[in-house]
Coordinates of all heavy atoms in Angstrom, one line a residue:
I113 N 31.8 -104.7 62.5 CA 31.7 -104.0 61.2 C 32.4 -104.8 60.1 O 33.5 -105.2 60.3 CB 32.3 -102.5 61.4 CG1 31.5 -101.8 62.5 CG2 32.2 -101.8 60.0 CD1 32.2 -100.4 62.8
G114 N 31.7 -105.0 59.0 CA 32.3 -105.8 58.0 C 33.0 -105.1 56.9 O 33.1 -103.9 56.9
P115 N 33.6 -105.9 55.9 CA 34.2 -105.2 54.8 C 33.2 -104.5 53.9 O 32.0 -104.8 54.0 CB 34.8 -106.4 54.0 CG 34.1 -107.6 54.5 CD 33.5 -107.3 55.9
P116 N 33.5 -103.6 53.1 CA 34.9 -103.2 52.7 C 35.6 -102.3 53.7 O 36.7 -101.8 53.4 CB 34.8 -102.6 51.3 CG 33.5 -101.9 51.4 CD 32.6 -102.8 52.2
M117 N 34.9 -101.9 54.8 CA 35.6 -101.0 55.7 C 36.9 -101.6 56.2 O 36.9 -102.7 56.7 CB 34.7 -100.7 56.9 CG 35.5 -99.7 57.8 SD 34.4 -98.5 58.6 CE 35.4 -98.1 60.0
P118 N 38.1 -101.0 55.9 CA 39.4 -101.6 56.2 C 39.8 -101.5 57.6 O 40.8 -101.0 58.0 CB 40.3 -100.8 55.3 CG 39.7 -99.4 55.2 CD 38.2 -99.6 55.3
I119 N 39.1 -102.2 58.5 CA 39.4 -102.2 59.9 C 40.8 -102.7 60.2 O 41.5 -102.2 61.0 CB 38.4 -103.1 60.7 CG1 36.9 -102.7 60.4 CG2 38.7 -103.1 62.2 CD1 36.4 -101.5 61.1
G120 N 41.2 -103.8 59.5 CA 42.5 -104.4 59.7 C 43.6 -103.3 59.6 O 44.6 -103.3 60.3
M121 N 43.4 -102.4 58.6 CA 44.4 -101.3 58.4 C 44.3 -100.2 59.5 O 45.3 -99.7 60.0 CB 44.1 -100.6 57.1 CG 44.3 -101.5 55.9 SD 46.0 -101.8 55.5 CE 46.1 -103.6 55.5
Y122 N 43.0 -100.0 59.9 CA 42.8 -98.9 60.9 C 43.2 -99.3 62.3 O 43.3 -98.4 63.2 CB 41.3 -98.5 60.9 CG 40.8 -97.8 59.7 CD1 39.5 -97.8 59.4 CD2 41.7 -97.2 58.8 CE1 39.0 -97.1 58.2 CE2 41.3 -96.6 57.6 CZ 39.9 -96.5 57.3 OH 39.5 -95.9 56.2
R123 N 43.5 -100.6 62.5 CA 44.1 -101.0 63.8 C 45.4 -100.2 64.1 O 45.8 -100.0 65.3 CB 44.3 -102.5 63.9 CG 43.1 -103.3 64.1 CD 43.4 -104.8 64.1 NE 44.1 -105.2 65.3 CZ 43.6 -105.5 66.5 NH1 42.3 -105.3 66.7 NH2 44.3 -105.9 67.5
S124 N 46.1 -99.8 63.1 CA 47.3 -99.0 63.2 C 47.1 -97.6 63.6 O 48.1 -96.9 64.0 CB 48.1 -99.0 61.9 OG 48.3 -100.3 61.5
L125 N 46.0 -97.0 63.5 CA 45.7 -95.6 63.7 C 46.1 -95.2 65.1 O 45.7 -95.9 66.1 CB 44.2 -95.4 63.5 CG 43.7 -94.0 63.2 CD1 44.2 -93.5 61.9 CD2 42.1 -94.1 63.1
S126 N 47.0 -94.2 65.3 CA 47.5 -93.9 66.6 C 46.4 -93.2 67.4 O 45.4 -92.7 66.9 CB 48.7 -92.9 66.5 OG 48.2 -91.6 66.1
D127 N 46.6 -93.3 68.7 CA 45.6 -92.7 69.6 C 45.3 -91.2 69.3 O 44.2 -90.8 69.2 CB 46.0 -92.8 71.1 CG 46.2 -94.2 71.6 OD1 45.5 -95.1 71.0 OD2 46.9 -94.5 72.6
R128 N 46.4 -90.5 69.0 CA 46.2 -89.1 68.7 C 45.4 -88.9 67.4 O 44.5 -88.1 67.3 CB 47.5 -88.4 68.7 CG 47.4 -86.9 68.4 CD 48.7 -86.1 68.5 NE 48.6 -84.9 67.6 CZ 48.0 -83.8 68.0 NH1 47.6 -83.6 69.2 NH2 47.9 -82.8 67.2
D129 N 45.8 -89.6 66.4 CA 45.1 -89.5 65.1 C 43.6 -90.0 65.2 O 42.8 -89.4 64.6 CB 45.8 -90.2 64.0 CG 47.1 -89.4 63.5 OD1 47.2 -88.3 63.9 OD2 47.9 -90.0 62.7
A130 N 43.4 -91.0 66.0 CA 42.0 -91.5 66.2 C 41.2 -90.4 66.8 O 40.1 -90.0 66.4 CB 42.0 -92.7 67.0
R131 N 41.8 -89.7 67.9 CA 41.1 -88.6 68.5 C 40.9 -87.4 67.6 O 39.8 -86.8 67.6 CB 41.8 -88.2 69.8 CG 41.7 -89.2 71.0 CD 41.9 -88.5 72.3 NE 43.2 -87.7 72.3 CZ 44.4 -88.3 72.6 NH1 44.5 -89.6 72.9 NH2 45.4 -87.5 72.6
A132 N 41.9 -87.2 66.7 CA 41.7 -86.1 65.8 C 40.6 -86.4 64.8 O 39.8 -85.5 64.5 CB 43.1 -86.0 65.0
I133 N 40.4 -87.6 64.4 CA 39.3 -87.9 63.4 C 38.0 -87.7 64.2 O 37.1 -87.2 63.6 CB 39.5 -89.4 62.9 CG1 40.7 -89.4 61.9 CG2 38.2 -89.9 62.3 CD1 41.1 -90.8 61.4
V134 N 37.9 -88.2 65.4 CA 36.7 -88.0 66.2 C 36.4 -86.5 66.3 O 35.2 -86.0 66.1 CB 36.7 -88.6 67.6 CG1 35.5 -88.2 68.4 CG2 36.8 -90.1 67.4
A135 N 37.4 -85.7 66.6 CA 37.2 -84.2 66.7 C 36.6 -83.7 65.4 O 35.7 -82.8 65.4 CB 38.5 -83.5 67.0
Y136 N 37.0 -84.2 64.3 CA 36.5 -83.7 63.0 C 35.0 -84.2 62.8 O 34.2 -83.5 62.4 CB 37.4 -84.2 61.8 CG 36.8 -83.8 60.5 CD1 37.1 -82.6 59.9 CD2 35.9 -84.6 59.7 CE1 36.6 -82.1 58.7 CE2 35.4 -84.2 58.5 CZ 35.8 -83.0 58.0 OH 35.2 -82.6 56.8
L137 N 34.8 -85.5 63.1 CA 33.5 -86.1 63.0 C 32.4 -85.3 63.7 O 31.3 -85.1 63.3 CB 33.4 -87.5 63.4 CG 34.2 -88.5 62.6 CD1 34.3 -89.9 63.2 CD2 33.5 -88.7 61.2
R138 N 32.8 -84.7 64.9 CA 31.8 -84.0 65.7 C 31.4 -82.7 65.0 O 30.4 -82.1 65.4 CB 32.5 -83.6 67.1 CG 32.9 -84.8 67.9 CD 31.7 -85.5 68.5 NE 32.1 -86.6 69.5 CZ 31.3 -87.6 69.7 NH1 30.2 -87.8 69.1 NH2 31.7 -88.5 70.6
T139 N 32.2 -82.2 64.0 CA 31.9 -80.9 63.4 C 31.1 -81.0 62.1 O 30.7 -80.0 61.6 CB 33.2 -80.2 63.0 OG1 33.9 -80.9 61.9 CG2 34.2 -80.0 64.2
V140 N 30.9 -82.2 61.7 CA 30.1 -82.4 60.4 C 28.6 -82.2 60.7 O 28.1 -82.6 61.7 CB 30.3 -83.9 60.0 CG1 29.4 -84.2 58.8 CG2 31.8 -84.1 59.6
P141 N 27.9 -81.5 59.8 CA 26.5 -81.3 60.0 C 25.7 -82.6 60.1 O 25.9 -83.5 59.3 CB 26.0 -80.5 58.8 CG 27.2 -80.0 58.1 CD 28.3 -80.9 58.5
P142 N 24.9 -82.8 61.2 CA 24.1 -84.0 61.3 C 23.1 -84.2 60.2 O 22.5 -83.2 59.8 CB 23.4 -83.8 62.7 CG 23.4 -82.4 63.0 CD 24.6 -81.8 62.2

Side-chain angles (χ1 to χ4, degrees):
I113 298 172
M117 179 142 159
I119 306 280
M121 298 285 124
Y122 293 160
R123 283 181 69 82
S124 304
L125 204 60
S126 75
D127 295 340
R128 183 176 152 82
D129 282 350
R131 285 204 308 276
I133 288 173
V134 171
Y136 180 85
L137 288 172
R138 300 285 188 209
T139 68
V140 171

